Amino acid sequence: MIMSKPSGQRLQAAALPDFVLRQFDRHSSEHDHRQLYRILQTGIRESVLPAGLKLLPTRVLAQVLGIARNTVVHVYEQLALEGYVQADVGRGTFVAAAGPRLVDRARRTPGTAAPMRRVWLSQRGNRLVQEAGASQLQWGAFTPGVPEVRMFPAQVWTRLQARAWRAATPQQLSYATGPGDADLRAAVTDYLQGTRGVVCTPEQVVITSGTQQSLQLVAQLLADPGDAVWLEDPGYWGARSVFRAMGLHLEPVGVDGEGLAPTPEQLQRPPRAMFVSPSHQYPTGALMSHGRRRQLLEYAAVHGVWVIEDDYDSEFRYGARPLPALQGLDEQGRVVYLGTFSKTLFPAMRLAYLVLPPDLVDSFARALNELFREGQPLQQAVLARFLAEGHYASHIRRMRAVYGARHDALIHAIDRHFGSRLPVIGGDAGLHLVLGLPRDVDDQALAQQVLRAGVATRPLSLYHLVQPASSKGLLLGYGAVREEEIASNFALLAKAVQGLL
Ligand SMILES: Cc1ncc(COP(=O)(O)O)c(C=O)c1O
């Protein structure tokens, strides 16, 4: 029910100011109205602000935030119009029993009372929306997978961008036609050869607008609906969503300390493709051993399986040097290598790359143009300069030190609160670690509880395909939180966790 009355049980508004205050930034360039709307909407959609919760009176919330009361009034009105909250005359405004569904919200206009039903979506569309894995929170302590975007060298970028615009060709402003900017493909090749042991020429590189798009191309071009694909379990929700949306059959494969670990029965049924993150298994952080790499490549070569290697954040390894990419060991042309600039630079850049066996490149470039009319050639040219002039390498060096310090601060905080009572999983690389929890803990409920205190984490069980999940924990990202803010944020989290142990 979309507009049902809030339940009889009234919840107090006490949780609200804390939740809003922690996220509301008075100095943000985002308009107050937009910001408050977004925060409340997200809170309701993620059930951090539960059904029945009474919102603060507009006057009080305006005072708490130091903004105009009218702004709050308009936000409440908008949320009411969209079915997120209900005004109960004389009593206040309450979070509605169930937030509006995506499809309803998209199709409703003010004044149309009857909501559209979900039947408008295809079965796979429905499933995609129902089982969507992306969090609506993408910034703040301890959001996993988000890098420190505030330290991006914007001045350098602006200078390169101005230069690129002065020299812009009509082709760079028209529809793109090929596999991407030639200079960027060459710079990516140099970088991958020098740092990741990838064996390729620039002709094998195709620029995309993100790993998600790379995966979509892979699924479209290398598999048919119904084909089986092995997915690490636990594993990356983004791959799961794309493959499922493309109609592939998802086969969960367990992960041990050496990476993907198919059972003997699974090995009897070779899939069309397997998706792996060997350099930093997502989310457990396991590093695939050399022996396992060899076995998988041999298996793939014998059975004609595509190996999709997601190498998303291996630049950041604290201590040991990163292990070279699986692609570099592949002698049979079975590996499709996926890289991204989302972690090394910033996610909103939406630029990534595929390194393909040579005879796949033309088809991928053609499909890319056909399906997506790939854009941003000028941005690609700027990025090519950024790499060629050494800014990329120095930014990564600088960020490795920053993340290393944050990583240490988080480990220290965990140690202070829990000692060896809770295991830290995958804590020596990347931008996140997993705080392991006992199997009987409801990590999803815990993550909600922690979020109410203003700390964003992701429950490990959400990354499992096989439910009930075999492991529990919280993913803690340290990319988007300053070193000096780690202890205080972790203390908030620890309080909630301690109550469960
Ligand atoms: C495992 C994994 N691979 C790849 C990516 C990068 O995706 P994109 O390039 O679409 O930003 C992410 C981002 O969260 C990730 O967690």
Side-chain angles (χ1 to χ4, degrees), residues 105-363:
R105 204 157 28 93
R107 303 195 67 108
R108 280 177 63 206
T109 48
T112 54
M116 302 297 287
R117 297 248 205 86
R118 194 170 280 273
V119 290
W120 287 99
L121 290 182
S122 64
Q123 281 182 25
R124 62 181 182 169
N126 217 335
R127 191 139 188 225
L128 176 68
V129 175
Q130 295 274 6
E131 297 177 11
S135 168
Q136 300 297 306
L137 291 169
Q138 293 294 350
W139 182 248
F142 293 108
T143 314
V146 180
E148 179 48 272
V149 296
R150 292 167 293 195
M151 294 176 82
F152 178 73
Q155 275 188 347
V156 175
W157 186 266
T158 316
R159 181 164 51 74
L160 297 179
Q161 186 161 285
R163 205 198 295 165
W165 266 104
R166 282 196 294 276
T169 63
Q171 286 77 7
Q172 285 178 316
L173 302 180
S174 181
Y175 292 108
T177 53
D181 180 89
D183 291 343
L184 181 56
R185 295 165 74 208
V188 164
T189 305
D190 283 349
Y191 170 73
L192 292 177
Q193 284 174 347
T195 62
R196 302 296 305 123
V198 170
V199 180
C200 70
T201 64
E203 288 69 39
Q204 289 172 254
V205 178
V206 173
I207 308 296
T208 66
S209 60
T211 304
Q212 291 304 94
Q213 191 180 65
S214 304
L215 287 168
Q216 239 179 74
L217 285 173
V218 167
Q220 291 266 5
L221 290 169
L222 301 183
D224 285 305
D227 279 348
V229 57
W230 283 359
L231 288 184
E232 296 166 330
D233 193 40
Y236 180 38
W237 59 266
R240 183 200 312 170
S241 293
V242 171
F243 293 148
R244 186 182 276 144
M246 291 286 151
L248 306 194
H249 170 70
L250 311 187
E251 171 90 21
V253 177
V255 174
D256 64 18
E258 294 186 67
L260 191 81
T263 62
E265 295 75 42
Q266 285 176 318
L267 288 168
Q268 294 299 316
R269 291 177 274 114
R272 181 85 178 139
M274 60 172 91
F275 174 82
V276 285
S277 43
S279 298
H280 188 224
Q281 202 275 331
Y282 192 79
T284 67
L287 180 64
M288 191 183 282
S289 66
H290 191 73
R292 189 71 57 81
R293 287 168 192 243
R294 285 258 174 238
Q295 283 167 1
L296 283 184
L297 285 176
E298 200 181 308
Y299 180 80
V302 169
H303 297 284
V305 178
W306 293 110
V307 178
I308 306 157
E309 176 177 17
D310 183 17
D311 197 20
Y312 61 102
D313 72 355
S314 45
E315 286 79 6
F316 305 119
R317 185 160 278 282
Y318 320 108
R321 273 176 62 83
L323 214 67
L326 191 61
Q327 194 270 3
L329 294 175
D330 174 29
E331 288 165 3
Q332 304 296 323
R334 301 309 311 173
V335 174
V336 171
Y337 176 91
L338 273 49
T340 180
F341 292 101
S342 290
K343 312 296 174 185
T344 47
L345 296 178
F346 57 91
M349 176 167 280
R350 304 317 300 146
L351 282 177
Y353 43 89
L354 288 150
V355 179
L356 296 159
D359 47 2
L360 288 182
V361 177
D362 287 348
S363 307

